[in-house]
Amino acid sequence: MNSRQPIPVVVLAGFLGSGKTTVLNHLLAGRGGTRIGVVVNDFGSIEIDAMSVAGQVGDSMVSLGGGCLCCAVDGSELDAYLEKLSAPVHRIDVIVIEASGLAEPQEMIRMLMASENPAIRYGGMVEVVDAAEFDATRARHPETDRHLAVADLVVLNKIDRVDAAERARIEQQLAVVCAPGTPVLATDHGRIDPELLFDRRPWTETRGQLSFEDLLAEADDHEHEHAHGRCDHAHAAYESTEFTSEQALSPRRFIDFLDRRPAGLYRIKGFVYFGVPGHEERYEVHAVGRFLRFAPRPWGRGEARVSQLVLIGSGTDGPGLLRELEACREAAPHEARPESMWGVLRYVARPAEPGSGVPATGSDET
């Protein structure tokens, strides 16, 4: 990841006992060479060994003590911690905020979106739900539905504790409560693939011996073999579909494709070339669940104008997705009017340039 680009900040939310810390520990253990900055209320449940291997001990760990992040006045306290973590000296690739079980996700999202720190960008909100305590949690915390409604990705955790019929019932309930198209990722013991939230760097290269990262991965695999009688990698259930086009894509048709993306499509990453006059740079696209963000980037000298996308999901129709993307190709992008870019620019994290005729950046939700 280019350290000069804004660092994505992912909010990990969920009520007490849902498994947020377990999910975070799993992300730390499976992060490859990625440097993860962590903001939590209490380090007591974080696996310090995993943090050590991830290079997170010391200045890369910050605590808000006993207060919820959402209670920080005007977000100034949170901004200070994020400024510390985003300092170039730490070389952080992604920041994960493990929100207190009583935190208001909407307020946290508002603070991140309003942050004036150019070194960070909001990277989506993940809500963790305890399948075994789903009804009890909703009864005890009526605000649960409101939290689920703003989630970009829902992790339905502890599915090993419910039968198939109960899981199906909960998923039907989530489909009603969550915003349309919100993906629901079912898991047990908080095991989700880090690639669903951020790009992993490769393992640190070593000569003649295993790195600490290799040893951690080996220990994790060994634990899975004992628990399940086999090596059950978290990424085994996900499919990856790759799309490349040397022809520009229609911004309107591409936005229509994103609006219709299936719930099983957990992440989209890559960059797109639209070739519309005045907008001929490449547009980096990042989607986690229904969260969507575009970022214009300059082309390298002599770099070919192509679109390259990776789509990661479960139960998705790869050939069908490719057919839909191929239908987005535009034979004459130079004839497109500037307003055809409005749908894309709505998700660009910067105001429109004066006199461009383009509306200001809008919501990040699709």
Side-chain angles (χ1 to χ4, degrees):
M1 185 177 297
N2 188 337
S3 60
R4 292 176 295 180
Q5 296 181 5
I7 300 170
V9 180
V10 177
V11 176
L12 184 62
F15 286 100
L16 297 173
S18 62
K20 296 188 307 300
T21 301
T22 304
V23 170
L24 177 57
N25 283 328
H26 186 75
L27 292 176
L28 289 169
R31 33 55 82 194
T34 305
R35 291 182 64 84
I36 305 176
V38 182
V39 179
V40 297
N41 285 92
D42 179 12
F43 289 139
S45 299
I46 305 297
E47 293 178 3
I48 298 301
D49 289 343
M51 297 287 280
S52 300
V53 173
Q56 309 307 336
V57 171
D59 289 342
S60 295
M61 295 172 63
V62 292
S63 174
L64 293 180
C68 299
L69 295 181
C70 63
C71 298
V73 178
D74 296 327
S76 58
E77 188 179 12
L78 176 59
D79 283 340
Y81 287 125
L82 293 177
E83 184 175 356
K84 179 180 180 180
L85 279 176
S86 60
V89 67
H90 298 307
R91 297 180 291 112
I92 296 295
D93 297 304
V94 61
I95 296 172
V96 178
I97 298 177
E98 186 198 6
S100 161
L102 301 178
E104 274 295 336
Q106 291 151 307
E107 284 302 301
M108 196 172 301
I109 293 170
R110 180 191 64 78
M111 287 190 291
L112 291 171
M113 296 293 291
S115 174
E116 297 181 356
N117 184 352
I120 65 168
R121 62 174 173 82
Y122 175 56
M125 197 272 275
V126 179
E127 180 79 9
V128 183
V129 176
D130 183 344
E133 299 292 332
F134 182 69
D135 292 333
T137 299
R138 293 179 76 191
R140 187 164 54 248
H141 301 288
E143 62 272 32
T144 299
D145 288 5
R146 187 172 69 251
H147 293 189
L148 288 166
V150 299
D152 298 300
L153 175 68
V154 174
V155 175
L156 182 59
N157 196 28
K158 306 183 185 180
I159 58 169
D160 55 313
R161 296 177 55 190
V162 298
D163 58 27
E166 177 66 1
R167 172 180 166 181
R169 184 189 70 82
I170 294 172
E171 289 177 339
Q172 288 177 350
Q173 288 289 314
L174 289 172
V176 173
V177 174
C178 297
T182 303
V184 176
L185 174 61
T187 187
D188 63 90
H189 299 89
R191 290 185 306 219
I192 69 172
D193 194 326
E195 285 284 351
L196 299 181
L197 302 181
F198 52 81
D199 291 338
R200 277 183 293 195
R201 289 181 180 272
W203 295 119
T204 302
E205 293 184 6
T206 56
R207 295 183 180 179
Q209 64 181 8
L210 291 176
S211 68
F212 284 118
E213 296 157 337
D214 294 322
L215 292 170
L216 182 64
E218 186 178 77
D220 190 50
D221 288 348
H222 186 63
E223 177 183 343
H224 288 171
E225 287 175 357
H226 276 282
H228 303 283
R230 65 187 187 284
C231 183
D232 187 12
H233 290 287
H235 58 73
Y238 308 136
E239 304 97 28
S240 177
T241 301
E242 298 182 5
F243 172 78
T244 301
S245 175
E246 297 180 356
Q247 192 171 338
L249 302 188
S250 162
R252 285 176 171 163
R253 290 198 291 275
F254 186 60
I255 287 293
D256 286 343
F257 164 78
L258 293 174
D259 286 343
R260 299 191 314 270
R261 63 190 188 271
L265 188 55
Y266 302 130
R267 189 174 180 213
I268 303 173
K269 60 180 181 177
F271 53 88
V272 180
Y273 174 55
F274 296 112
V276 175
H279 303 280
E280 295 175 340
E281 61 267 65
R282 68 177 185 174
Y283 281 79
E284 180 182 317
V285 58
H286 170 75
V288 173
R290 68 189 184 102
F291 171 78
L292 175 63
R293 173 68 77 194
F294 285 97
R297 308 289 184 203
W299 294 99
R301 180 174 297 180
E303 188 175 1
R305 271 48 172 173
V306 297
S307 297
Q308 293 182 314
L309 294 168
V310 177
L311 302 92
I312 303 172
S314 177
T316 54
D317 177 8
L321 292 174
L322 290 177
R323 286 192 297 270
E324 290 190 57
L325 285 169
E326 287 164 0
C328 294
R329 288 175 170 152
E330 177 56 63
H334 57 281
E335 297 179 1
R337 297 179 62 83
E339 56 264 31
S340 67
M341 287 291 295
W342 286 2
V344 171
L345 296 177
R346 177 187 176 198
Y347 300 102
V348 171
R350 61 173 173 79
E353 297 180 2
S356 67
V358 175
T361 301
S363 168
D364 289 285
E365 296 178 4
T366 58

